[in-house]
Amino acid sequence: MPFGSPANWGATPEERRRAQPADTLLDGPVAHFDRAITVHAPAALAYRWLCQISVAPYSYDLLDNWGRRSPSTLTPGAGELAPGDKLIVFELTEVEPGHQLTGRTFAESEKVFGQVAATYSVEPIDERSCRMLCRIIVTSKGFRGRLKEFLLGWGDLVMMRKQLLTLKKYAERDARLGHVS
């Protein structure tokens, strides 16, 4: 999809229409980007892997983790997140254990990215598979806002796609090995 829109990668029309907590965190004109993937692992295990982004970005480690490899095993305590905790460039505003994490850029990251909000969630399909979703919301006012929307949309698509594919790989591996969350 090199010349398509960065607004969606993998999310169904129903998932794109569904309201997410991040939708309410920013004022003014906004754009939203949806990313989603099916994970062949129980939702609880996929959620536990999703919480690992409190430890490392799980995208392109050379670019966004100063060359340090993101852990390939679950980090004890990483699944115990609460509002106020940091998650990549976000401060968590809402946590629904086992289901979703929502946050907004904290002051230092807002200097670089501007106002951005996100909801990551895991939704069960059945007892052995689920959908992992992320919605990113960005302010989109004026020329600078639209430029940021364009640049962040494409950059996020590349990074988030890698992140979700990596989390999927580890959750599915652990499910095959019989590891539990």
Side-chain angles (χ1 to χ4, degrees), residues 33-177:
F33 305 105
D34 292 295
R35 286 65 172 104
I37 194 165
T38 298
V39 179
H40 300 288
L45 181 57
Y47 177 80
R48 186 57 189 81
W49 271 102
L50 183 62
C51 290
Q52 280 291 117
I53 60 176
S54 67
V55 176
Y58 287 89
S59 187
Y60 295 99
D61 287 334
L62 188 60
L63 295 175
D64 62 4
N65 202 23
W66 300 97
R68 294 183 306 268
R69 291 184 54 89
S70 296
S72 62
T73 58
L74 292 171
T75 303
E80 301 165 15
L81 298 171
D85 289 346
K86 297 284 182 2
L87 190 72
I88 309 173
V89 298
F90 302 105
E91 179 175 327
L92 292 176
T93 57
E94 182 180 327
V95 175
E96 188 180 329
H99 181 244
Q100 65 92 2
L101 307 167
T102 297
R104 176 186 169 133
T105 44
F106 50 85
E108 297 85 37
S109 60
E110 210 164 274
K111 291 176 187 172
V112 176
F113 300 105
Q115 293 181 347
V116 180
T119 295
Y120 283 89
S121 63
V122 172
E123 299 178 4
I125 296 171
D126 56 36
E127 65 275 352
R128 294 182 315 214
S129 60
C130 61
R131 295 282 288 163
M132 189 177 285
L133 303 103
C134 183
R135 173 165 298 158
I136 303 287
I137 306 291
V138 299
T139 55
S140 183
K141 183 178 181 182
F143 175 76
R144 286 186 66 204
R146 287 189 305 279
L147 179 61
K148 178 183 78 171
E149 173 188 336
F150 175 79
L151 295 173
L152 192 60
W154 283 107
D156 171 73
L157 175 63
V158 170
M159 302 304 277
M160 180 73 64
R161 179 180 179 279
K162 172 69 169 151
Q163 181 185 63
L164 293 178
L165 286 168
T166 301
L167 296 172
K168 168 188 171 77
K169 175 181 79 172
Y170 289 140
E172 289 178 349
R173 177 207 59 199
D174 284 359
R176 278 190 312 276
L177 296 173

